[in-house]
Amino acid sequence: GPNPASGEMVLNMEWGAFDSDDFAFLPFTPHDIKLDRKSINPRKQAYEKMISGMYLGEIARNIVLWLADQRLLFDGRSSDILNAMWSIDTSYLSAAIIDESPTLSEIQQVIEKTLGVPQSTLIDRRILRAIALLVGERAARLSSIGVVATLLKRPELLDKPIHIGIDGSMYEHFPNFECILAKTVSRFIPEHQFKNISFSLAKDGSGVGAAIIAMLMSTEE
């Protein structure tokens, strides 16, 4: 159709598919490659698989098994549950991060009761907590890069108030995800412009966004 009178256009970027063809830009690890290869859509949605709550538990599981195979975790033991794909839900990572008890008792419950590993040491639990922190922080930092790239594409807008609505379980539920994302964005945007940016949870962001676009179109007409 004709270009809008405003000269502006709303884009669905589908950035979850970024770098899916070549694996040339994102910081893939063997654990990411393993997840992608065994997923129902290999070589697709590469960026999404590194930042979405749907996949982060499986990345953590790959890391756990890799360490166990080297006898660096659980004394080399595993379980039928842990060996099964998708057995570590991302919510387990959230639970591990917020567990600050002296014996990491919540993490012990996840390892021994939920995942069926016979027993765990305090060091095992600390390692699992470290894995959860690393996987979650990487997801937040990588998510921020998509935000930064979009903002820097239109630098003239940074001198005006910008509100960024974010949908997804990681932003809503994962400990410190919001703070890490915002802090990382601030490293790439000048301070006087970063002050213009605000973030908030936008549940059903895609549906709400479509409704807003439809409203604007009807207003123009």
Side-chain angles (χ1 to χ4, degrees), residues 111-199:
I111 294 171
E112 299 178 12
K113 302 298 183 182
T114 306
L115 298 177
V117 177
Q119 62 184 43
S120 64
T121 66
L122 182 56
I123 292 176
D124 290 333
R125 295 167 218 153
R126 287 174 176 168
I127 291 174
L128 184 60
R129 188 172 189 273
I131 292 170
L133 285 165
L134 288 170
V135 171
E137 182 170 337
R138 186 188 72 156
R141 290 182 182 276
L142 286 173
S143 297
S144 74
I145 298 306
V147 174
V148 170
T150 305
L151 293 173
L152 294 183
K153 188 70 175 178
R154 296 291 304 273
E156 73 278 8
L157 299 180
L158 290 170
D159 292 322
K160 306 174 183 178
I162 296 177
H163 184 73
I164 301 175
I166 301 177
D167 192 6
S169 61
M170 292 298 293
Y171 189 84
E172 184 175 4
H173 298 297
F174 202 87
N176 300 318
F177 191 92
E178 176 184 0
C179 294
I180 296 170
L181 186 149
K183 184 176 181 180
T184 306
V185 170
S186 73
R187 294 179 58 185
F188 295 90
I189 305 297
E191 183 178 357
H192 70 282
Q193 293 178 319
F194 180 74
K195 292 178 180 178
N196 295 328
I197 301 172
S198 60
F199 303 87

Side-chain angles (χ1 to χ4, degrees), residues 7-167:
E8 300 288 345
M9 182 177 293
V10 177
L11 297 177
N12 180 355
M13 297 172 61
E14 289 292 343
W15 72 15
F18 175 67
D19 205 20
S20 294
D21 293 329
D22 301 323
F23 284 15
F25 301 103
L26 294 171
F28 296 99
T29 69
H31 315 298
D32 299 301
I33 301 298
K34 182 178 179 181
L35 180 150
D36 179 73
R37 186 172 60 248
K38 293 191 173 185
S39 70
I40 61 173
N41 57 342
R43 290 283 178 169
K44 294 181 179 179
Q45 301 303 113
Y47 188 31
E48 179 181 2
K49 288 172 181 171
M50 303 177 83
I51 64 177
S52 169
M54 181 183 298
Y55 299 100
L56 299 189
E58 181 62 11
I59 292 175
R61 190 186 74 90
N62 289 341
I63 298 170
V64 166
L65 290 177
W66 177 69
L67 291 172
D69 288 345
Q70 299 178 76
R71 301 184 68 85
L72 298 174
L73 193 60
F74 308 147
D75 195 29
R77 295 186 297 271
S78 184
S79 69
D80 290 340
I81 297 174
L82 184 56
N83 289 338
M85 285 190 69
W86 313 112
S87 59
I88 293 185
D89 188 84
T90 303
S91 64
Y92 302 167
L93 306 186
S94 297
I97 290 173
I98 64 177
D99 184 1
E100 297 182 348
S101 63
T103 61
L104 299 179
S105 55
E106 290 296 324
I107 298 176
Q108 183 179 14
Q109 287 290 314
V110 170
I111 294 171
E112 299 178 12
K113 302 298 183 182
T114 306
L115 298 177
V117 177
Q119 62 184 43
S120 64
T121 66
L122 182 56
I123 292 176
D124 290 333
R125 295 167 218 153
R126 287 174 176 168
I127 291 174
L128 184 60
R129 188 172 189 273
I131 292 170
L133 285 165
L134 288 170
V135 171
E137 182 170 337
R138 186 188 72 156
R141 290 182 182 276
L142 286 173
S143 297
S144 74
I145 298 306
V147 174
V148 170
T150 305
L151 293 173
L152 294 183
K153 188 70 175 178
R154 296 291 304 273
E156 73 278 8
L157 299 180
L158 290 170
D159 292 322
K160 306 174 183 178
I162 296 177
H163 184 73
I164 301 175
I166 301 177
D167 192 6

